[in-house]
């Protein structure tokens, strides 16, 4: 009987997983790999564009996995609490659940894009016994330069959002830096405004009238603002201070990582862990 094991490769819309998809296609052309993307419905337009380009390079469809119920549903279930690093209901319900449903009980090998130069980083590793995990970049010693080369040689380069943001993921991702919120306001004002409206709803239901200084941020597991300690309006009012600090951080990153695009360099210098499913 033929081997029924499925081979799956998750694509986040970021550089590492995209490069892995290309790498697997090149090095294991006979393997029937299923490429998938967990679509929260809140991804950046640049991510969707890049996925289309990637499909062209792979000559394969990237299956979009959508949760049966989207952000608005779970936002209600969690009684209007924004997702946060302490309460990451978004990843669990919008990414992991649809993925595990899609795989079901089929035996599967999942290829994860952790690079050789970041072996301490954690990717999404399923606890389901039918899923085993492989790390091709670690085995092949492929590092950040190797990833960039794979994408350049394939002719797709980096996703465009790296011009102003370090990581893939939802437009409202609470892991983004304050300067990235400013970038969102500049590049996608309608998305920034959507995030702002959600935040205003949360604050109004919490009985807070738009001024984050009144919010009790000590309540464990609850978040009233997307960005730590201030509303998006307050953040935008501090635009020039935020961008001054950010430009200084970019200068530092430039010195330490001369051969990388600036926003990639900034991410490489960052030891805060983003969403493991979303950001590889
Ligand atoms: S990208 Fe951010 S907001 Fe979106 S699912 Fe991942 S952690 Fe949550």
């Amino acid at each position: 009987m033929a081997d029924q094991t499925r081979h799956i490769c998750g694509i986040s819309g970021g550089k590492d997983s995209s490069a892995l998809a290309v790498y697997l296609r090149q090095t294991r052309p006979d393997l029937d790999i299923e490429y998938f993307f967990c679509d929260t419905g809140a991804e950046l337009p640049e991510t969707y564009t890049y996925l289309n380009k990637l499909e062209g390079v792979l000559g394969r469809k990237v299956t979009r996995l959508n949760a049966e119920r989207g952000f608005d549903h779970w936002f209600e279930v969690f009684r209007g609490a924004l997702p946060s690093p302490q309460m990451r209901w978004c990843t669990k319900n919008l990414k992991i659940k649809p993925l595990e449903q899609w795989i079901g009980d089929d035996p599967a090998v999942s290829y994860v894009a952790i690079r050789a130069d970041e072996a301490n980083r954690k990717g999404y590793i399923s606890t389901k016994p039918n899923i085993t995990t492989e790390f091709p970049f670690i085995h092949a010693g492929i590092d950040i330069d190797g990833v960039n080369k794979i994408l350049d040689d394939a002719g797709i380069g980096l996703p465009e959002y790296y011009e102003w943001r370090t990581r893939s993921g939802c437009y409202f991702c609470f892991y983004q830096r304050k300067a990235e919120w400013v970038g969102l306001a500049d590049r996608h004002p309608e998305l920034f405004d959507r995030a702002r409206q959600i935040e205003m709803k949360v604050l109004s239901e919490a009985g807070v009238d738009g001024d984050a200084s009144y919010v009790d941020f000590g309540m464990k597991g609850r978040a009233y603002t997307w960005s730590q300690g201030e509303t998006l309006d307050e953040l935008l009012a501090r635009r020039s201070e935020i961008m001054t600090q950010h430009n200084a951080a970019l200068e530092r990153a430039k010195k330490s990582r001369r051969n990388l695009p600036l926003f990639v360099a900034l991410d490489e210098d960052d030891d805060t862990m983003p969403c493991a499913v979303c950001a590889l």
Side-chain angles (χ1 to χ4, degrees):
M1 202 172 90
D3 182 4
Q4 300 295 309
T5 304
R6 291 170 66 181
H7 295 266
I8 60 171
C9 175
I11 292 162
S12 69
K15 63 185 183 323
D16 296 330
S17 57
S18 302
L20 180 61
V22 174
Y23 177 76
L24 289 172
R25 197 81 184 99
Q26 290 168 344
T27 55
R28 307 184 197 194
D30 299 330
L31 205 56
D32 184 17
I33 297 177
E34 298 173 75
Y35 301 96
F36 68 90
F37 170 70
C38 295
D39 185 355
T40 61
E43 311 292 331
L44 293 167
E46 292 95 324
T47 301
Y48 294 117
T49 303
Y50 192 71
L51 277 179
N52 293 340
K53 277 164 80 175
L54 186 63
E55 282 180 327
V57 168
L58 296 174
R60 290 277 174 101
K61 194 102 198 101
V62 175
T63 302
R64 271 67 163 176
L65 302 178
N66 290 97
E68 276 167 27
R69 293 166 186 271
F71 177 86
D72 290 348
H73 168 80
W74 293 108
F75 186 49
E76 291 298 319
V77 168
F78 286 87
R79 295 189 292 168
L82 294 176
S84 66
Q86 295 78 27
M87 200 167 66
R88 222 165 68 195
W89 55 256
C90 48
T91 312
K92 184 174 166 207
N93 293 295
L94 301 176
K95 297 214 166 203
I96 294 177
K97 266 193 197 167
L99 167 58
E100 296 197 338
Q101 269 168 11
W102 179 65
I103 300 171
D105 294 325
D106 298 340
V109 179
S110 168
Y111 297 90
V112 177
I114 302 214
R115 304 187 314 256
D117 56 336
E118 53 170 15
N120 293 332
R121 191 171 187 179
K122 287 194 175 64
Y124 165 66
I125 297 172
S126 176
T127 51
K128 289 181 64 141
N130 53 314
I131 304 174
T132 55
T133 310
E134 281 197 23
F135 303 95
F137 282 164
I138 293 181
H139 289 140
I142 293 177
D143 60 8
I144 177 76
D145 292 334
V147 158
N148 286 334
K149 183 167 179 350
I150 290 168
L151 294 174
D152 282 346
D153 290 351
I156 46 172
L158 295 169
E160 260 182 40
Y161 61 75
Y162 280 121
E163 288 170 11
W164 59 279
R165 184 167 151 151
T166 55
R167 294 166 178 165
S168 59
C170 305
Y171 69 84
F172 50 60
C173 187
F174 44 84
Y175 281 116
Q176 66 191 301
R177 293 170 168 79
K178 292 182 186 285
E180 292 170 328
W181 279 109
V182 174
L184 183 71
D186 290 344
R187 304 270 177 151
H188 300 293
E190 69 298 343
L191 294 181
F192 183 88
D193 197 51
R194 219 180 285 167
R196 192 175 148 269
Q197 298 292 339
I198 297 170
E199 185 182 74
M200 280 167 64
K201 186 165 185 269
V202 171
L203 286 164
S204 136
E205 281 170 13
V208 181
D209 204 12
D211 182 347
S213 58
Y214 292 115
V215 178
D216 176 9
F217 288 104
M219 279 179 71
K220 194 169 185 305
R222 277 200 65 98
Y224 295 94
T225 57
W226 289 113
S227 185
Q228 181 72 31
E230 61 187 343
T231 64
L232 292 182
D233 281 338
E234 289 165 339
L235 183 152
L236 218 47
R238 291 197 309 110
R239 165 197 284 269
S240 106
E241 180 191 343
I242 288 170
M243 293 317 290
T244 301
Q245 286 171 0
H246 176 66
N247 289 334
L250 282 179
E251 276 305 310
R252 286 195 299 275
K254 198 171 163 183
K255 282 182 191 140
S256 63
R257 305 267 184 170
R258 286 187 184 80
N259 55 346
L260 295 181
L262 270 186
F263 272 77
V264 175
L266 198 58
D267 193 31
E268 294 300 309
D269 279 354
D270 187 352
D271 57 4
T272 59
M273 283 292 101
C275 175
V277 184
C278 314
L280 277 176

